Amino acid sequence: MFADQITGAWNSHFPKQQYSHLLTWVKINFCAMTMEAARQWGGVTDITISSKDELKIDLAEESNKVAYVGNDIEIKTFENAEGVLPSLTSTEAGSVFCSPATQYTIKIKTKNYPEGKEIHVTLTDLDYEPLTSLSEAAGKLFIISLYFSPFNVIEGTCTLNYWNGQNEDLYMK
C-alpha cells in the first residue's frame, strides 16, 4: 500500500490520505482440454511467473514517484514434485503479488516436459481490451487460466476480477 505525502497546519487541516496498491494480484488456474492432453503432458510440477525484483518510491518526485526496476525474476506460484495431472475442471495452482505488467511470462513444467514451456499472457480489462499501461494493472486481481491442449500447446487467458469490498476480509490460499 502507498499514499502520497500530505501536509497540513493548525489552521489548514490534513486532507484524507488516499492509499492504493502498488502490486498486482495474479491467481493461476489450469485445466486440460481433453483427458488425452492431460496424459500427454503429465502432471504439472512447477508454475512460475516473471516479475520485476525491485520497487522504488521517490517521494521527492512530483510525478512518476513509483518505479518497478531491476531484473525479471521467476516467482513460484505452484510446486509439486509428484505433479498434479490437469483435469477437465479448473484447478487453482496458486496466487502471487507481483509488479504490474501488461503481459506476464509464465513458465510451466510437467512430468513429461521437465524442461518447461514458456507462454506469454496479455492482461485485459473488463471489456477484454489489452491493458496499455502499468497503472491499469496495479491494485487489481487477474485470474490467468492455463489450458493444456494436445500437440505441445498451452493457451493462457486472463480475466479481471474485483477484490473483496473495503470492509470485508481478504483471504489467500
Side-chain angles (χ1 to χ4, degrees), residues 59-70:
L59 296 174
E61 288 285 328
E62 283 303 313
S63 62
N64 298 327
K65 288 180 179 4
V66 177
Y68 303 92
V69 296

Side-chain angles (χ1 to χ4, degrees), residues 14-32:
F14 288 108
K16 283 187 177 180
Q17 198 162 25
Q18 299 294 319
Y19 286 88
S20 61
H21 290 273
L22 296 180
L23 299 175
T24 300
W25 186 11
V26 176
K27 286 186 177 183
I28 297 180
N29 299 332
F30 64 87
C31 70

